[in-house]
Amino acid sequence: MSETSHAVHTHHRICPLCEACCGLEIKVQDQKVISIRGHEADVLSRGYICPKAIALKDLHEDPDRLRTPLIKRNGKHESATWDEAFAEIEKRLPPLMAAHGKHAVAIAVGNPSAHKIGLLTYFGKLARAIGSRNVFSASTLDQMPKQLASGLMFGHWLSTALPDISRTDLLVVIGANPLASNGSMWTVPDFKGKAKALQARGGQLIVIDPRRTETAAVADAHHFIRPGADVFLLAAMVQVLFEENLVNLGRVAPWVQGTEEVRAAVAGFTPEAAAARCGMGADTIRALARQIASTPKAAVYARIGTCTQQYGTLASWLVDVLNTLTGHLDIEGGMLFAKSAAFASNTAGKPGIGKGVSTGRHHARVSGAPEVYGELPITCMAEEIETPGEGQVRALITVATNPVLSSPDGPRLSKALDSLDLMVSLDIYLNETTRHADVILPGLSPLEDLHYDVAFPQLSWRNHARYSAPVLPHPEGQPEEWQTLLKLTAIVQGQGAQQDANLLDDQQFADDANRLFGPHAAAVMAATSGLRGPQRGLDVALRSGPYGDQFGLKPEGLNLKKVMAASDSGGIDLGELQPRIPEMLRTPSGKVELAPPLLLQDLERAAQDLSGLAPDLVIIGRRDVRTNNSWMHNLPTLAKGPFRCTALVHPEDAARRGLQDGGMATLRNGHRNIQAQVQFSTDMMRGVVSLPHGWGHNLPGAQLGVAAERPGANINALLDDQLRDPLSGNAVLGGVAITMEAA
């Protein structure tokens, strides 16, 4: 063996395990990862990483990670070839669709697909080929309220206003824990470092949350709030702005409409009326509103806690209303919009005007829940499978999702999945959901796949373009995920499983090029010759994007070759966020729609609840820096250390219920109940219990050995799948009334 065969090779990779998207430096020797560290030159993260990045080695080497397809035979999953797996699907899926129609097939996709360009850009092709109304995703578990509010106000689902953290003097964080998440719907690696820099320049960080979170611990001030009461707090602060003549639209004034409608809508939400419901003093509410209004550079950011409640869309909307009315929208140091190098709809088409967004183009068959962003609420899935009649779901295709653990009433969904005629899963694990599948098609390890973030540059604290080549070689004989999706598309379209995925891709690209570029299609195809799959789509998106070379018309502009060449140097820095209104607006009016009728109408529902009594005890979730998705509990690097699936309870609440620190408790919500380990914590607001999501790894048939050693309790088994925000369809995961007693 030659001396060079043991050489150490350095690769640079974007971490795909959470929204922070940190740049990594990975050293490989003899096809083995020997170290993972932060890439100091990365233009987005500047060397920062969290423990999840280190666990990429565990994920790649995990013996439980699937490497061959599985087919369930006689109730047991057995290894199969790819040809056998596709043949099994072809034998069963087309006849089912022919007999029962396209709506008999449901599709569900999870958030890991957002970190996989192949899955994200090709999933839609499969969904369109099937044509079912039954499309579900993790978006209705955590973020659809924010997307709907942004779409109604600014014209597109991903036109999300982001805190300009590097230049603001006041950051107010509501129902979010960015020190643990490094942003959610806001890509901001090393939030802690940026928060310290904010404070060092004399600025303030204020956190409003039912728990004194890791972010609250480093903040200048923390205020408890009753879970689910964010809408009342925000409406009351907006009311103060009008009452005290603090409204100042600033530079966006010419492009804002609906101010007077908002004034009338919030008139009854005085701080005095909202105080009891919020668990906050009226003086505190007024002081917060005044501080935000009087600080020239301020930003209000809210996330999971404000989305996963019955007023999720209203709370998300009122955050942007508050930022707009105080003059902090679209200014440096306030709330700005990213300008993504590729794939952003708010950089395409005619600037400053567009179709906007709409909902309810179809409705769920059983509950009548409206479609939002092409999806139905994932909490409708079980009933759509269980309920007989025309359009009953009889087959399910899941892509990188585990709703048995991640969505409410997992036991009901688990039972429903057993009744399906066919279930196909694209997943790297035999988990609590895929154990029900008839066929499982594994994906690549992230280290074997190329990477470019499609969504997160649209939500990033800084504009950039970064690309990662595969770190390790592609396993022989295994299709890439986009090829798997194309093969499934061919099966659905009746072309057969034997179709060559590359030829299918060429055909589809030619069709897309003709549709999008018309007489210039041939030139586009020539310019991208030699590429296929996600690389080809990415090259087109970069070249036609706001920084692109426009296929040679702007030689200094971006293309895939330039972005790939910059990988080792940390990517291409496209600068700080800048004001973008009005050009980024895609509303039919060309204005910021401050008062969408749909939201004003729902605010009347909140007004009726304003004087209601808060439950005695409610439950919320929580995020840990070491976990994001349920399968991360199977990675030794992340699973080690103290047991994290504990129910945090204030000692006074525990004493009233006879609970012991470290003991077990039974938590009940109607007929639903779970048992969890108790942990006393004065960080909890009285009357609030916190249990993390994604646990419950004790179900038979799953193959997650490390996770099963400490399975934990599944909070979602306690929650009602019929309880959701009526506008966005988002599940209500927090502020749910429970009882608690010693087990």
Side-chain angles (χ1 to χ4, degrees):
M1 189 176 289
S2 70
E3 217 174 287
T4 58
S5 64
H6 298 292
V8 175
H9 300 278
T10 300
H11 302 263
H12 294 104
R13 177 68 161 83
I14 303 164
C15 182
L17 299 186
C18 81
E19 291 187 40
C21 306
C22 299
L24 311 179
E25 184 177 281
I26 302 177
K27 293 189 181 296
V28 174
Q29 185 177 40
D30 297 332
Q31 305 302 324
K32 296 284 186 180
V33 174
I34 59 174
S35 75
I36 300 176
R37 55 177 292 178
H39 186 195
E40 297 289 342
D42 187 85
V43 299
L44 186 73
S45 56
R46 297 296 181 189
Y48 174 84
I49 58 169
C50 81
K52 292 190 290 294
I54 308 300
L56 272 173
K57 174 179 169 64
D58 286 355
L59 175 60
H60 180 74
E61 297 175 356
D62 190 351
D64 288 337
R65 182 170 63 83
L66 301 180
R67 288 154 172 87
T68 63
L70 300 179
I71 297 177
K72 185 181 284 186
R73 297 186 175 102
N74 300 317
K76 183 180 178 181
H77 285 100
E78 300 177 356
S79 294
T81 67
W82 283 93
D83 286 344
E84 289 171 337
F86 285 125
E88 180 74 10
I89 298 167
E90 185 177 11
K91 181 176 72 175
R92 299 173 63 177
L93 183 56
L96 187 149
M97 293 182 68
H100 301 289
K102 60 187 180 181
H103 300 307
V105 182
I107 316 171
V109 61
N111 63 18
S113 66
H115 299 272
K116 289 268 199 170
I117 186 173
L119 289 180
L120 196 59
T121 57
Y122 279 75
F123 173 80
K125 297 177 186 294
L126 175 61
R128 286 190 294 273
I130 294 173
S132 174
R133 65 170 170 249
N134 292 303
V135 177
F136 308 98
S137 89
S139 293
T140 50
L141 292 174
D142 64 3
Q143 69 189 47
M144 194 61 87
K146 188 63 184 173
Q147 292 185 271
L148 176 55
S150 297
L152 292 171
M153 289 186 71
F154 308 120
H156 193 266
W157 310 95
L158 285 175
S159 290
T160 302
L162 309 166
D164 187 17
I165 190 170
S166 61
R167 293 177 287 194
T168 195
D169 294 323
L170 173 64
L171 178 61
V172 180
V173 174
I174 307 176
N177 190 11
L179 196 137
S181 66
N182 285 294
S184 179
M185 296 284 293
W186 179 30
T187 293
V188 54
D190 191 19
F191 172 84
K192 185 176 183 179
K194 294 175 178 62
K196 285 183 175 180
L198 160 67
Q199 292 165 323
R201 61 178 180 265
Q204 281 192 297
L205 171 64
I206 297 174
V207 173
I208 301 170
D209 200 281
R211 179 169 73 94
R212 188 176 293 107
T213 62
E214 294 87 345
T215 304
V218 302
D220 298 281
H222 168 242
H223 302 282
F224 284 123
I225 185 172
R226 293 290 298 174
D230 307 272
V231 62
F232 307 114
L233 168 66
L234 290 160
M237 287 198 286
V238 171
Q239 191 274 343
V240 170
L241 299 180
F242 287 112
E243 179 190 355
E244 300 187 4
N245 296 315
L246 298 174
V247 172
N248 176 15
L249 297 177
R251 68 165 296 275
V252 299
W255 302 288
V256 175
Q257 65 180 19
T259 303
E260 291 307 310
E261 289 89 339
V262 172
R263 180 197 297 269
V266 301
F269 290 87
T270 65
E272 288 73 21
R277 196 71 170 78
C278 295
M280 298 174 67
D283 289 346
T284 300
I285 297 173
R286 288 185 181 277
L288 284 167
R290 291 166 183 161
Q291 184 177 4
I292 294 166
S294 63
T295 304
K297 294 183 177 182
V300 181
Y301 165 74
R303 254 310 275 131
I304 292 283
T306 58
C307 285
T308 54
Q309 56 171 281
Q310 61 176 323
Y311 300 111
T313 304
L314 288 181
S316 299
W317 162 62
L318 285 168
V319 169
D320 285 326
V321 169
L322 185 61
N323 282 314
T324 303
L325 293 177
T326 52
H328 298 129
L329 179 66
D330 208 44
I331 67 163
E332 292 184 6
M335 301 291 288
L336 292 167
F337 298 90
K339 191 172 186 178
S340 176
F343 301 111
S345 292
N346 65 20
T347 64
K350 185 178 180 180
I353 198 165
K355 294 181 180 179
V357 303
S358 61
T359 66
R361 291 173 293 181
H362 58 265
H363 293 75
R365 177 180 63 105
V366 179
S367 71
E371 162 273 335
V372 179
Y373 202 7
E375 303 177 18
L376 295 175
I378 198 168
T379 51
C380 293
M381 193 190 308
E383 66 190 27
E384 291 292 338
I385 297 170
E386 295 169 345
T387 307
E390 186 178 352
Q392 179 183 6
V393 169
R394 297 171 180 270
L396 173 65
I397 299 173
T398 70
V399 179
T401 187
N402 191 6
V404 167
L405 289 194
S406 62
S407 63
D409 207 346
R412 178 187 182 186
L413 178 59
S414 182
K415 184 178 179 181
L417 296 180
D418 270 337
S419 70
L420 289 166
D421 294 337
L422 175 66
M423 180 172 169
V424 177
S425 293
L426 280 69
D427 210 290
I428 60 174
Y429 282 110
L430 182 57
N431 61 30
E432 291 79 9
T433 297
T434 63
R435 67 195 174 115
H436 297 278
D438 298 287
V439 182
I440 306 177
L441 305 171
L444 296 171
S445 157
L447 298 182
E448 298 164 346
D449 204 3
L450 64 90
H451 186 90
Y452 183 94
D453 282 308
V454 172
F456 302 118
Q458 302 181 53
L459 303 168
S460 177
W461 77 282
R462 189 174 184 89
N463 294 316
H464 65 278
R466 300 178 303 156
Y467 176 93
S468 300
V471 173
L472 295 171
H474 182 288
E476 186 177 352
Q478 179 168 352
E480 297 183 46
E481 286 147 330
W482 64 271
Q483 294 173 318
T484 297
L485 288 169
L486 279 182
K487 295 273 277 190
L488 292 177
T489 301
I491 290 172
V492 167
Q493 293 175 329
Q495 299 179 56
Q498 301 305 314
Q499 291 289 318
D500 182 275
N502 290 332
L503 291 179
L504 291 170
D505 188 52
D506 290 341
Q507 293 166 5
Q508 290 198 6
F509 180 74
D511 291 341
D512 290 342
N514 283 311
R515 176 173 52 85
L516 294 172
F517 298 102
H520 304 292
V524 169
M525 293 171 68
T528 56
S529 62
L531 299 173
R532 60 164 42 102
Q535 282 192 325
R536 180 160 52 187
L538 174 57
D539 191 36
V540 171
L542 286 167
R543 301 181 85 163
S544 59
Y547 312 93
D549 70 358
Q550 304 303 312
F551 299 97
L553 295 178
K554 296 183 178 180
E556 73 283 0
L558 294 183
N559 54 39
L560 179 57
K561 184 177 180 180
K562 289 182 181 179
V563 176
M564 291 175 66
S567 297
D568 288 341
S569 58
I572 296 175
D573 183 13
L574 298 172
E576 293 183 295
L577 307 189
Q578 301 295 328
R580 291 192 59 201
I581 290 176
E583 60 87 7
M584 55 72 57
L585 294 175
R586 292 297 183 272
T587 54
S589 64
K591 305 282 189 179
V592 174
E593 296 289 353
L594 206 63
L598 185 69
L599 302 183
L600 294 183
Q601 182 180 354
D602 199 46
L603 196 60
E604 297 176 8
R605 178 174 65 100
Q608 296 171 5
D609 192 22
L610 182 58
S611 59
L613 296 176
D616 182 55
L617 188 68
V618 299
I619 194 165
I620 61 173
R622 71 177 183 269
R623 172 79 173 264
D624 185 272
V625 71
R626 289 179 171 269
T627 185
N628 185 27
N629 296 304
S630 58
W631 50 267
M632 292 185 185
H633 302 149
N634 207 55
L635 307 181
T637 297
L638 302 181
K640 67 183 180 182
F643 184 53
R644 297 178 183 88
C645 187
T646 57
L648 298 183
V649 188
H650 192 280
E652 292 181 11
D653 287 328
R656 284 196 294 271
R657 293 165 175 81
L659 305 177
Q660 299 296 315
D661 193 18
M664 298 299 292
T666 301
L667 291 73
R668 300 184 190 277
N669 173 21
H671 67 275
R672 304 172 182 86
N673 68 87
I674 58 173
Q675 290 192 342
Q677 183 178 320
V678 174
Q679 182 179 349
F680 290 1
S681 174
T682 55
D683 289 336
M684 294 305 303
M685 187 179 191
R686 291 168 181 82
V688 184
V689 177
S690 173
L691 190 67
H693 70 92
W695 295 77
H697 302 287
N698 55 358
L699 300 180
Q703 186 176 304
L704 297 163
V706 173
E709 293 174 6
R710 295 193 290 182
N714 181 8
I715 183 176
N716 288 310
L718 198 63
L719 304 179
D720 183 355
D721 62 355
Q722 299 304 295
L723 192 57
R724 46 186 172 258
D725 168 26
L727 301 188
S728 67
N730 206 90
V732 175
L733 307 178
V736 175
I738 63 167
T739 61
M740 195 171 183
E741 61 194 33

